[in-house]
Amino acid sequence: MTTCRSSGVNTASAVVNAGRTRLISIHAACTGNAPTTVKVFDNASAASGTELARMILAPETSLEFDMHGVLALNGLYLSISAGAGEGAAVSVEFA
């Protein structure tokens, strides 16, 4: 088992890591009363570029994606939708 770093729990869109990295896993739980979309991009500054993962979370659900060390050349950006009644708590593990 290789070690990895964690973004910690995020409730809003954020830069996870700036620079080349490996995406290990994503853990997300819906915290709102409406479906929430979570995306992770190969980008260090915005929700654009190559989309590496997309989760659509129903209320009161959680998901885990094992990303098997996908290489992100430009960094990792986490996008969490923020519509009325939507929300999520998401952690991104990377190495």
Side-chain angles (χ1 to χ4, degrees), residues 9-90:
V9 176
N10 291 285
T11 57
S13 298
V15 174
V16 173
N17 188 56
R20 184 179 169 132
T21 190
R22 291 195 176 272
L23 177 56
I24 305 299
S25 64
I26 307 162
H27 302 84
C30 186
T31 59
N33 57 12
T36 300
T37 301
V38 173
K39 299 177 184 177
V40 176
F41 292 89
D42 181 353
N43 193 325
S45 61
S48 62
T50 302
E51 185 177 329
L52 300 175
R54 180 184 303 196
M55 298 174 160
I56 300 174
L57 301 163
E60 300 182 20
T61 63
S62 62
L63 287 173
E64 176 184 354
F65 280 10
D66 183 352
M67 298 300 294
H68 303 284
V70 168
L71 183 61
L73 298 176
N74 303 303
L76 294 171
Y77 186 86
L78 171 65
S79 171
I80 301 174
S81 62
E86 297 176 341
V90 182

